[in-house]
Amino acid sequence: MKRFILTLQFLTRVTVAKNLPYDEKFNKGIIFFPLVGLVLGLILAVIYMGLSYLFNSTITSMITIASYIALTGGLHLDGLGDTFDGFYSSRGKERILEIMKDSRLGTNGVIAVLFSILIKVFVLAALPHEKALLALILMPVLGRLGIVYGCFRISYARETGLGHIYINNVSSNQLMIATGLGIAITLIDRGTLLFIPIAWIFSYLFKSHSKKIIHGMTGDTLGALCELNEILYLLYLVGKLNLTM
């Protein structure tokens, strides 16, 4: 339980307990990433349900996504922006890593962050109420499962950094446990089960792309992978819904 709480507080701004003792095997908490996503998803679902009594679907979706950003401190959005600024700067590896570390956000980063937020807001607004609730619960789960996949068997592109805690430190057993948790959670919407192999394939392709550009992964690219998997999942839901209509 202590390791789960530490992982929850590391990935979010949700504070359960302060001054927890140091855990030397903190990185093993990566198996709990889907559960952290579930906690976030349930909070978002409650917010969405409450707001839906007061506002239309677009305003409800906007405030809910804003709440999501607040709950995570924009951690993964920041990684998305930094990754797009660096990857598409047409520079060499070392300069790309410098750009990604820069606190300032460039044009590519702004565009990526803006479209990420817009897609989430308008897809949620377009979904039927019950589907939107399920999407809000499962979106953070699948995004964080994507981070687990992004850490598996890939080198760390920097010499130091927080991402080194997890990147290339995920065992096959931990990967299977995290995937099992993800599958168990997605059983609340069995149509989502098919997305898990999609998330695995997309994460593998993204890792290959990152390896080609910066010879590995970083904390920023993990954040970007989380955001992109969430967007891909929402688009998957819309596509599946349109096919059944």
Side-chain angles (χ1 to χ4, degrees), residues 23-205:
D23 184 357
E24 292 183 356
K25 298 181 179 180
F26 172 70
N27 65 312
K28 293 185 181 297
I30 197 165
I31 63 171
F32 298 122
F33 274 32
L35 288 179
V36 170
L38 178 60
V39 171
L40 288 169
L42 290 173
I43 294 172
L44 293 178
V46 171
I47 292 171
Y48 182 88
M49 283 192 295
L51 291 171
S52 64
Y53 290 107
L54 301 172
F55 306 108
N56 63 31
S57 60
T58 302
I59 295 175
T60 296
S61 298
M62 287 176 63
I63 300 175
T64 303
I65 294 302
S67 301
Y68 186 24
I69 296 169
L71 284 167
T72 61
L75 179 66
H76 304 108
L77 272 177
D78 180 65
L80 179 70
D82 289 342
T83 297
F84 270 68
D85 274 341
F87 276 22
Y88 306 110
S89 63
S90 301
R91 307 294 177 87
K93 175 196 170 183
E94 296 304 323
R95 181 55 183 149
I96 288 172
L97 290 173
E98 288 177 11
I99 291 171
M100 289 169 67
K101 199 171 183 179
D102 195 327
S103 60
R104 294 169 297 181
L105 199 59
T107 303
N108 289 332
V110 170
I111 292 171
V113 170
L114 179 62
F115 271 88
S116 176
I117 294 171
L118 287 175
I119 290 171
K120 288 180 179 180
V121 168
F122 285 107
V123 169
L124 285 173
L127 290 172
H129 184 76
E130 289 185 4
K131 289 289 184 182
L133 280 174
L134 288 172
L136 284 168
I137 294 170
L138 295 177
M139 177 179 70
V141 174
L142 295 165
R144 279 144 197 83
L145 183 59
I147 294 179
V148 179
Y149 294 156
C151 292
F152 184 64
R153 291 183 180 174
I154 184 76
S155 59
Y156 187 56
R158 298 185 186 275
E159 293 183 5
T160 59
L162 284 176
H164 193 38
I165 298 172
Y166 297 113
I167 295 171
N168 207 30
N169 285 320
V170 178
S171 67
S172 297
N173 188 47
Q174 289 170 331
L175 185 79
M176 290 176 65
I177 292 171
T179 300
L181 285 172
I183 290 171
I185 295 167
T186 55
L187 286 175
I188 64 173
D189 179 28
R190 296 191 178 186
T192 294
L193 283 172
L194 181 61
F195 184 79
I196 290 182
I198 294 173
W200 167 259
I201 293 168
F202 178 76
S203 299
Y204 174 80
L205 293 174

